[in-house]
Amino acid sequence: MRKPEELRSHQWFGTEGLRSFSHRARTRQLGYLPEEHLGKPVIAVLNTWSDINPCHVHLRERAQAVKRGVWQAGGFPLEFPVATLSETYQKPTPMLYRNLLAMETEELLRSYPVDGAVLMGGCDKSTPALLMGAASADLPAVFVPAGPMLPGHWRTEVLGSGTDMWKYWDDKRAGLIGDCEMAELERGLARSPGHCMTMGTASTLTAAAEALGMTVPGASSIPAVDSGHDRMAAASGMRIVDLVREDLRPSAILTREAYEDAVATVLALGGSTNAVIHLIAMAGRSGVPLTLDDFDRIARTVPVLANLRPGGRYLMEDFHFAGGLPGFLTRLRDAGVLHLDRPTVAHKTLGEQLAGALVHDDDVIRPLDAPLAAEGGVAVLRGNLCPDGAVVKHIAAEPHLLEHTGPAVVFDDYRTLQRTIDDPGLGITEDSVLVLRGSGPLGGPGMPEYGMLPLPDHLLKKGVRDMVRISDARMSGTSYGACVLHVAPESHVGGPLALVRTGDLITLDVPARTLRLEVDDAELERRRAQWQAPPPRYGRGYGALYQDQITQADTGCDFRFLARPGEVPEPYAG
């Protein structure tokens, strides 16, 4: 157990000298008594609350519960506002700014007199960003997930945000519903604070954070407006004080075994393809090499056990009351998948943490002998169209499309696709393969969630609801369909996607894990010789830093200077 003089904050407040005197005087200026903070663990509460982030709009109140827990455990909380990454509003995509929040997190923790941190987030990019920054700073930390919103409702239908948005928008384009119905759906789709209540990217990443061992047990599925969420926030505040006293840091928790368990969890949940990019980036910050091959290897060892939309039937509130992630992980424990001897922020071992956890509904959290799918929900593809890999969420696709050959219809950018997709002159049929390029990490920029390409309205009116679609973009975890994503290298840097022409045959074979452009190598070399790199998008600012440092999807889209190993000195506080 650490003594008060061994705390990091002691350098600022507890030593003799002019600087320490100044720090104490300024703390009095803030209105704090000496006995409120001197000798106590100082806890940074990093809050991504914002008026324009509906996923996090309740975190202003939850921060008070976190502080309550810190005070009760004998710590001293300080709230820090950090960048909010609102999936709903931020353009061109919050993925452009994930690394910016990771940098802010790391540097705030390093430069201020704090001994540990509570990280508050949940909307898609905030979870990996906060954990990446905390892993790099390596101070004791606990993650507080924002929690899913309540289920949506429309007439007799229970709605899942995102998933049902796509569904009913296609119904409108097909002429099956009109403006009045859409206005009703608009009011009923998202009806409380919190992130998407399907197994979209937000729920996938917060579940991954819990599986990694960075939350208190059961935290990731508590509905945002449930009183249990307040209690979880307070418990997290209490726990972080003990973690500081024990000096238990992320480096002891975020091990190779933890990341493998998080990958297995994501795949067994039928989680978002975005988790592939984020977990690779997070692991890199922890000094753990994690690759697409690891995802594909683990996918073949775990079944899909969560009957959750978009691949299944239920929503996150159902999952929570069916046992939440602790109950879910007992299934993987019984399958012999998990590493039970590793530590978490709450227990000495994961095995200890799962003792007593139960599943209460076998239809929501399936038994091992009745899975939703026999293999993990994401497949990694290789081939001449994606030499560095691509991914597809095959459990959310129509099965007949998982082995398909068809002619490409190519779009050079998303705006052109939006403007022309319904043009009958393009000759698109249900056998066509829609190809979008210019939407990767550099081309997007930021790799926007364009990957669920819209289908032509004439096909929607015929009842077609899925086609093979290929891009270097991402897609929302709430999306569905035979969408091949994250093609690497991206077209913007001259990857093979840049060489595809309308009419070329493309073969997708998910069982064989291949994606192939049926064009001979000599022709591809001729096309490559004619290809010209697009000009840089940014002449200055953060965008210029981004385009200079961003890596490709298969390596996590981190910044090179952040992902590389190297020492960073502690600041001198005297």
Side-chain angles (χ1 to χ4, degrees), residues 13 23-33 36-37 76-78 113:
F13 297 119
H23 297 150
R24 293 192 297 271
R26 293 298 187 174
T27 309
R28 306 299 160 264
Q29 180 187 9
L30 289 167
Y32 295 112
L33 295 166
E36 290 187 83
H37 76 97
F76 179 64
L78 294 171

Side-chain angles (χ1 to χ4, degrees), residues 360-406:
H360 307 297
D361 189 327
D362 285 344
D363 193 36
V364 179
I365 301 175
R366 294 291 185 85
L368 290 169
D369 60 0
L372 202 69
E375 289 189 353
V378 174
V380 175
L381 307 174
R382 302 280 184 179
N384 69 343
L385 194 50
C386 54
D388 291 339
V391 301
V392 60
K393 189 174 181 177
H394 53 94
I395 65 161
E398 292 189 6
H400 74 278
L401 293 173
L402 299 181
E403 295 179 75
H404 179 82
T405 299

Side-chain angles (χ1 to χ4, degrees), residues 100-118:
L100 183 62
L101 175 55
M103 290 171 63
E104 183 180 20
T105 298
E106 177 181 352
E107 298 306 329
L108 281 177
L109 296 182
R110 180 172 286 115
S111 61
Y112 279 97
V114 299
D115 302 299
V118 175

Side-chain angles (χ1 to χ4, degrees), residues 15 23 54 63 131 173 209 294 341 367 443 445 502 508:
T15 61
H23 297 150
L131 290 172
R173 292 180 62 220
D294 291 314
D341 293 333
T502 293
L508 168 66

Side-chain angles (χ1 to χ4, degrees), residues 326-376:
F328 181 83
L329 290 178
T330 64
R331 301 290 206 219
L332 297 184
R333 176 198 65 193
D334 295 346
V337 171
L338 301 178
H339 299 85
L340 298 174
D341 293 333
R342 62 182 178 86
T344 73
V345 296
H347 290 87
K348 296 294 184 184
T349 67
L350 177 62
E352 178 185 318
Q353 182 163 309
L354 297 182
L358 297 171
V359 174
H360 307 297
D361 189 327
D362 285 344
D363 193 36
V364 179
I365 301 175
R366 294 291 185 85
L368 290 169
D369 60 0
L372 202 69
E375 289 189 353

Side-chain angles (χ1 to χ4, degrees), residues 147-153 158-161 191-193 195-199 203 218 220-228 307-309 313-325 360-361 364-365:
M149 69 178 88
L150 295 176
H153 285 278
V158 177
L159 303 177
S161 62
R191 63 187 187 92
S192 82
H195 59 66
C196 292
M197 72 307 239
T198 55
M199 187 47 68
S203 292
S220 63
S221 63
I222 304 172
V225 295
D226 193 301
S227 62
N307 189 7
L308 299 172
R309 300 184 203 182
R313 174 183 175 188
Y314 294 101
L315 297 172
M316 285 303 297
E317 188 171 19
D318 305 306
F319 181 76
H320 178 65
F321 291 111
L325 201 74
H360 307 297
D361 189 327
V364 179
I365 301 175

Side-chain angles (χ1 to χ4, degrees), residues 461-520:
K461 290 172 182 176
K462 287 176 55 179
V464 176
R465 287 295 185 273
D466 199 4
M467 295 174 61
V468 175
R469 288 158 274 183
I470 299 171
S471 71
D472 45 16
R474 297 176 299 111
M475 78 176 184
S476 167
T478 66
S479 300
Y480 50 86
C483 302
V484 177
L485 311 158
H486 312 178
V487 169
E490 65 174 307
S491 59
H492 200 81
V493 298
L497 200 66
L499 311 179
V500 183
R501 295 179 181 175
T502 293
D504 290 346
L505 290 178
I506 295 176
T507 297
L508 168 66
D509 189 338
V510 174
R513 300 295 198 265
T514 58
L515 179 68
R516 179 166 181 81
L517 178 62
E518 304 294 353
V519 175
D520 65 64

